[in-house]
Each structure stands twice: as structure tokens, then as C-alpha cells.
């Protein structure tokens, strides 16, 4: 890990950007990314020379807004600070406004996750996670498992999702035993598993992830979490995750680049999820992306349209994906063999399916129904 060098691509040029780049590099190299080193304009780990000017909260907000606007990121990472403070006698307060209300369920989840991770980091600092990784078996080849399944069956490799609930559908399965479900999926022909770890909105947990791994399930495991900080990657690896999900509508390009590099060091895969053309173009421009998920669910309306997969894989985008040998995963709205055939013809070589499997009495046998034939052999 010691020799890795991270080169940053400049965001929109401004004095704020230059000072904040120095500030963030100092923060990152002293915390989540230690002992990784970052270089930009001669700034290296341990250098304080670029921090002579104090970075104010207003400047941080201005810089964040600049990045969000330039990259078309739809999900705000945390609530805006709101209008200036008002004073009534000895008390001060901020007026509530629409800006401090989540605009959709994903934004609400991300805001909650930001606070949740801050609390978890206090209980399990990064140095303790790195120590724990010394006793964790090596990560399994997530992408390799999907490619093997695709070549073996002639159908998209399946990432079967272990999920008890969702914000839009509520409880999906009352008799939820994550280990038994995972074992049924594996027996039914799943190449990999996706395990929900968010507790508040999906009734998942990291304990489920760890239990599945320790039960001897051989399928590589995707930690289905809403990642906002690199700390979560180390925590997931310590629990047995072989791959993670990165959501392009939440994370700016620089964060995605950093997190991909960390995952490569840890031997993990990264599934980078996109929803529309702009996100796809952003992700295709990022070096090191090997696995892209196309989510057919509209973030604002939650409507699902599998035509979205075909639209994002047409023309120059599809050709670039083939040139880069990127494996594409179809996500959401896949319930029948006809749905699977549609996205496969569009260009996907893997699919991530949860609801249409988990709601069946035998999730393993439901895989055969989904694909129209047995894929376990």
C-alpha cells in the first residue's frame, strides 16, 4: 500500500478549489487513506504548507456546490446549512426551509447514512479496522464469478439479493433467515450475492453479511450499502465483503476514483451504479472502472423502465464499454425470462435481482423461473 500515488483531476478552477484540495488531501492522508499518498501541485502526505489559509464553512459549501453543478450530481450529501443564524434574546436558531428537507428517498437515506457513519467511526476507528483485516480471508473474485457464470450458461450471471425490506415495498419476506436464503440462492445457480447492510430502511445488517460468509457460502458477496466515506469500505471488508456498491448520483468523480483505488488494494470489486446518460458518461471517463450497474429505477419517481438499460448501451457508449471490456449489470424491473432476454440483448452480462426472488417461497427455485431454465449446473 505504501507506494500508491493518487493523482487528482482538477475540478472547476478557482482559488477555493485550490485551497480545499490542499485541505482535503491533508485530511484524507491523515485519516481514511493513511498511508496512501496524494500528489497535486507538490502537495504530499504530511505537508501543512498549503493549509496556511483558513478554509471557511462558506467556502466548503461553495466548492461542494461547484462540483455538484459541474458533474450533475442529483443527491445532496447532507442537508444545506440553511439561512444565516437568527437571534432572539440569548438563543440562536436556523430557520427551516425546503432546502433542509430531503427531495427523495435516496437523499433521505444518504443524509441518515452520513450521521450513522460518523457515529460508527467513533466506536470503530480506522486503525482498528486495519488491524481486523489481518485475520480476514482474501476477497473472492466477484467479477470473475459473473463472467464464468455467463460463459457457462449463456445467460447473464446472477447477483441474487438478500433483502428483507425496501422503502418503496415495505417488508418483502417475513420469515427472513439470511443464511438459509443465501444457501438457497447458491444452490439455485447464483454466481454472486448482494447483501443489504442498511438497517433503518432495508432491515439489513453487517451481521447478516458476516453470518453468510462464515456459514461457508462460496458465492462472492456484494456489500449493498450507501457508501459516503472510505471508512465503510474497510468496515465491509472486515465483515467479509468481496465487492461494494458506489452510486454515481451520490458520489463525485474524485470520490469514486479514490474508492476504486482502495478497493483494488483490498482485492475488492466495485460496482458503480448509474441511472442516466450523464452519469454513464461520467463513469466511463473514470479510469479503473470494470463493473457498471444500470439501475432502471427513476430516483425521483421510483418508476421502473427496463428500456433504460437499452438506451444507455446504444451507440458510442456501448462501443466504448466493449472496448474497455466493462461488464454491465442490469438492475431493477427484472421479473421474467423475457425481461432477462431483453437486457441481455441490450448488452448486459449480469443482472442483480432481489424482489422477484426473495418473495417466493423457495428463492433458489425461483431462479429457474426467472431465467426460464435451470442455471445451477
Amino acid at each position: 500500500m505504501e507506494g500508491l500515488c493518487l493523482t487528482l483531476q482538477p475540478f472547476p478552477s478557482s482559488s477555493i478549489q485550490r485551497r480545499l484540495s490542499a485541505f482535503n488531501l491533508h485530511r484524507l492522508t491523515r485519516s481514511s487513506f493513511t498511508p496512501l499518498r496524494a500528489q497535486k501541485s507538490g502537495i504530499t502526505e504530511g505537508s501543512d504548507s498549503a493549509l496556511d489559509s483558513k478554509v471557511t464553512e462558506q467556502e466548503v459549501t461553495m466548492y461542494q456546490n461547484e462540483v455538484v453543478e459541474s458533474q450533475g450530481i442529483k443527491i445532496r450529501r447532507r442537508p444545506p446549512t440553511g439561512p444565516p443564524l437568527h437571534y432572539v434574546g440569548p438563543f440562536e436558531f436556523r430557520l427551516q426551509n425546503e432546502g433542509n428537507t430531503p427531495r427523495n428517498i435516496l437523499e433521505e437515506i444518504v443524509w441518515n447514512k452520513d450521521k450513522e457513519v460518523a457515529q460508527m467511526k467513533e466506536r470503530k476507528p480506522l486503525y482498528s479496522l486495519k488491524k481486523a483485516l489481518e485475520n480476514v480471508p482474501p476477497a473472492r473474485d466477484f467479477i470473475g464469478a459473473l463472467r464464468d457464470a455467463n460463459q457457462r450458461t449463456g445467460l447473464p450471471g446472477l447477483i441474487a439479493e438478500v433483502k428483507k425490506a425496501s422503502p418503496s415495498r415495505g417488508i418483502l419476506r417475513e420469515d427472513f433467515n439470511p443464511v438459509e436464503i443465501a444457501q438457497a440462492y447458491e444452490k439455485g445457480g447464483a454466481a454472486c450475492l448482494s447483501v443489504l447492510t442498511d438497517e433503518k430502511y432495508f432491515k439489513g445488517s453487517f451481521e447478516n453479511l458476516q453470518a453468510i460468509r462464515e456459514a461457508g457460502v462460496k458465492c462472492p458477496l456484494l456489500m449493498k450499502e450507501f457508501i459516503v466515506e472510505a471508512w465503510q469500505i474497510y468496515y465491509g471488508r472486515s465483515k467479509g465483503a468481496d465487492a461494494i456498491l458506489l452510486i454515481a448520483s451520490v458520489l463525485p468523480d474524485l470520490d469514486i476514483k479514490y474508492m476504486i483505488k482502495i478497493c483494488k488494494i483490498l482485492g475488492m470489486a466495485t460496482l458503480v451504479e448509474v441511472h442516466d446518460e450523464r452519469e454513464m458518461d461520467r463513469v466511463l471517463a473514470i479510469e479503473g472502472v470494470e463493473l457498471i450497474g444500470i439501475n432502471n429505477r427513476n430516483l425521483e419517481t421510483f418508476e421502473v423502465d427496463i428500456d433504460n438499460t437499452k438506451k444507455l448501451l446504444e451507440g458510442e457508449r456501448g462501443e466504448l464499454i466493449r472496448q474497455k471490456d466493462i461488464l454491465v449489470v442490469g438492475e431493477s424491473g427484472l421479473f421474467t425470462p423475457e425481461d432477462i432476454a431483453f437486457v441481455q440483448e441490450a448488452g448486459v452480462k449480469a443482472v442483480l435481482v432481489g424482489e422477484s426472488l426473495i418473495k417466493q417461497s423457495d428463492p433458489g427455485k425461483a431462479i429457474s423461473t426467472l431465467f426460464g431454465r435451470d442455471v445451477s449446473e
Side-chain angles (χ1 to χ4, degrees):
M1 291 197 290
E2 192 65 38
L4 180 66
C5 180
L6 303 184
T7 302
L8 309 186
Q9 299 297 321
F11 286 131
S13 174
S14 69
S15 59
I16 296 173
Q17 184 269 331
R18 289 191 294 272
R19 291 165 64 199
L20 277 162
S21 292
F23 173 78
N24 283 329
L25 286 175
H26 176 84
R27 176 175 59 82
L28 291 174
T29 54
R30 290 295 177 87
S31 56
S32 295
F33 295 96
T34 304
L36 305 184
R37 292 181 180 151
Q39 291 184 337
K40 181 178 173 69
S41 304
I43 301 169
T44 57
E45 181 182 14
S47 171
D48 296 329
S49 60
L51 303 177
D52 294 338
S53 302
K54 183 179 179 181
V55 181
T56 67
E57 179 182 349
Q58 182 181 13
E59 287 176 324
V60 171
T61 301
M62 289 174 64
Y63 174 65
Q64 290 172 337
N65 291 341
E66 194 174 351
V67 172
V68 166
E69 182 177 355
S70 70
Q71 297 181 6
I73 296 173
K74 297 177 181 178
I75 302 300
R76 296 172 298 177
R77 206 63 164 261
R78 54 186 61 87
T81 55
L85 290 172
H86 293 260
Y87 296 90
V88 177
F91 302 103
E92 61 182 35
F93 62 95
R94 292 188 187 276
L95 294 177
Q96 293 294 317
N97 59 25
E98 290 184 5
N100 287 326
T101 302
R103 294 176 295 196
N104 53 55
I105 186 61
L106 180 54
E107 192 163 87
E108 180 182 336
I109 292 170
V110 168
W111 288 8
N112 180 76
K113 189 63 60 177
D114 190 61
K115 295 185 289 186
E116 180 184 297
V117 171
Q119 295 169 354
M120 293 176 70
K121 285 168 64 177
E122 291 183 2
R123 297 194 298 268
K124 291 188 176 292
L126 185 61
Y127 71 84
S128 68
L129 296 183
K130 289 183 176 180
K131 183 83 173 169
L133 292 184
E134 297 175 3
N135 301 315
V136 175
R140 303 183 186 192
D141 186 358
F142 190 87
I143 297 177
L146 292 175
R147 291 193 186 278
D148 289 346
N150 176 237
Q151 293 172 1
R152 176 176 58 82
T153 66
L155 293 167
L158 173 64
I159 308 170
E161 193 150 81
V162 181
K163 175 168 66 172
K164 181 176 182 177
S166 77
S168 60
R169 301 290 188 181
I171 300 295
L172 299 173
R173 189 180 185 90
E174 292 287 353
D175 58 330
F176 184 79
N177 184 312
V179 171
E180 289 182 0
I181 293 168
Q183 291 169 337
Y185 280 153
E186 184 170 58
K187 184 179 179 181
C192 300
L193 304 181
S194 168
V195 184
L196 266 295
T197 53
D198 178 81
E199 185 173 352
K200 182 173 181 179
Y201 297 92
F202 291 87
K203 310 302 180 187
S205 71
F206 286 96
E207 287 69 30
N208 291 347
L209 179 72
Q210 188 171 19
I212 291 170
R213 173 53 73 229
E214 292 178 351
V217 173
K218 296 179 181 179
C219 289
L221 304 181
L222 170 73
M223 177 181 75
K224 191 73 173 291
E225 176 64 298
F226 298 87
I227 291 184
V228 294
E229 287 201 28
W231 178 91
Q232 293 165 277
I233 302 174
Y234 289 95
Y235 188 64
R237 179 82 274 271
S238 74
K239 296 295 184 179
D242 305 296
I244 63 165
L245 174 72
L246 301 177
I247 304 176
S249 57
V250 173
L251 299 168
D253 297 355
L254 187 59
D255 282 7
I256 294 174
K257 292 176 186 178
Y258 269 134
M259 291 177 181
I260 287 175
K261 289 181 184 292
I262 291 173
C263 284
K264 287 185 180 298
I265 291 172
L266 298 176
M268 303 173 74
T270 50
L271 174 60
V272 187
E273 183 178 280
V274 302
H275 296 80
D276 56 32
E277 294 97 327
R278 186 166 188 178
E279 290 176 6
M280 176 66 90
D281 291 339
R282 281 177 50 210
V283 171
L284 287 176
I286 295 175
E287 184 179 353
V289 172
E290 299 178 295
L291 191 63
I292 293 178
I294 298 178
N295 195 328
N296 297 313
R297 191 181 301 278
N298 185 296
L299 292 179
E300 297 177 1
T301 66
F302 260 64
E303 294 178 354
V304 175
D305 182 4
I306 64 174
D307 281 330
N308 189 49
T309 295
K310 182 178 180 181
K311 179 174 66 175
L312 296 190
L313 293 178
E314 290 177 332
E316 294 181 1
R317 293 186 183 93
E319 182 59 33
L320 184 57
I321 285 169
R322 286 187 289 273
Q323 289 175 7
K324 293 190 169 191
D325 195 27
I326 294 172
L327 193 148
V328 178
V329 181
E331 304 174 15
S332 298
L334 305 176
F335 293 91
T336 67
E338 291 73 27
D339 295 334
I340 298 296
F342 180 85
V343 294
Q344 181 175 17
E345 186 176 350
V348 309
K349 293 186 179 179
V351 290
L352 192 156
V353 183
E355 183 178 341
S356 63
L357 300 177
I358 199 72
K359 295 179 75 173
Q360 305 304 313
S361 57
D362 187 332
K365 290 183 179 178
I367 294 174
S368 298
T369 304
L370 174 68
F371 284 99
R373 66 178 176 87
D374 187 356
V375 294
S376 63
E377 298 179 357

